[in-house]
Amino acid sequence: TFHVSPFFEMNYMYDWTLWRPGEKVAGSTNLKRDGKVAFNAFFEVERTSLNPLTVCYYIVRFPLYCFLIQVWIHIQALFLTIKGVEYIPHPQGSETLFSQVISHGMRPYYALKARLEEENEQRIQRKDK
């Protein structure tokens, strides 16, 4: 399973395009369902050799940058959650420890959201009577 985001269901097709590397490396992906593009992402980076040693070098050299990317990703996830985009957990057995922590931390929010929606529905039903 390829679970990119907890805001996308698993029944999407990923259509990747990678351009022949030159001085830069570029690629894009279209997330498709029923033949329609639901999401597109594009990247372009300078070409460099990549191996475990250089990956470790960049992680050590740019720890704050890596941390800020993670923070920004989760801030955007919070915005999506506030907008009401449905949270779709990892398929059973494929969760990482971090995704389990996030899932447990979000339980009170979703419980409160469900309760407020139920109260609102009851209020609407009482009005209709």
Side-chain angles (χ1 to χ4, degrees):
T1 55
F2 192 54
H3 193 228
V4 173
S5 168
F7 299 101
F8 287 124
E9 296 173 0
M10 298 296 294
N11 59 346
Y12 283 91
M13 180 172 179
Y14 292 85
D15 182 14
W16 291 90
T17 302
L18 300 171
W19 286 269
R20 181 168 295 202
E23 288 185 24
K24 295 192 176 203
V25 176
S28 73
T29 185
N30 288 314
L31 192 59
K32 295 179 178 180
R33 184 165 58 184
D34 300 326
K36 296 179 183 174
V37 175
F39 179 79
N40 174 272
F42 173 82
F43 69 91
E44 182 178 79
V45 294
E46 289 185 28
R47 186 177 184 178
T48 183
S49 65
L50 196 60
N51 58 53
L53 188 60
T54 57
V55 170
C56 289
Y57 169 75
Y58 286 118
I59 289 173
V60 169
R61 186 170 176 209
F62 301 110
L64 182 60
Y65 186 66
C66 295
F67 174 75
L68 290 175
I69 290 170
Q70 286 298 312
V71 168
W72 189 247
I73 287 169
H74 288 89
I75 288 171
Q76 292 301 313
L78 177 63
F79 290 155
L80 290 172
T81 301
I82 290 169
K83 286 180 180 179
V85 177
E86 181 184 0
Y87 173 80
I88 301 163
H90 286 269
Q92 189 66 27
S94 69
E95 284 189 321
T96 63
L97 176 62
F98 194 63
S99 65
Q100 289 174 0
V101 168
I102 291 171
S103 180
H104 282 51
M106 292 299 291
R107 283 184 182 167
Y109 167 80
Y110 286 109
L112 177 62
K113 181 180 173 189
R115 182 175 176 183
L116 292 174
E117 287 173 352
E118 184 179 316
E119 288 175 3
N120 190 39
E121 186 66 32
Q122 289 173 354
R123 201 173 304 122
I124 290 170
Q125 288 175 357
R126 282 192 301 259
K127 261 187 182 178
D128 290 343
K129 287 184 181 182

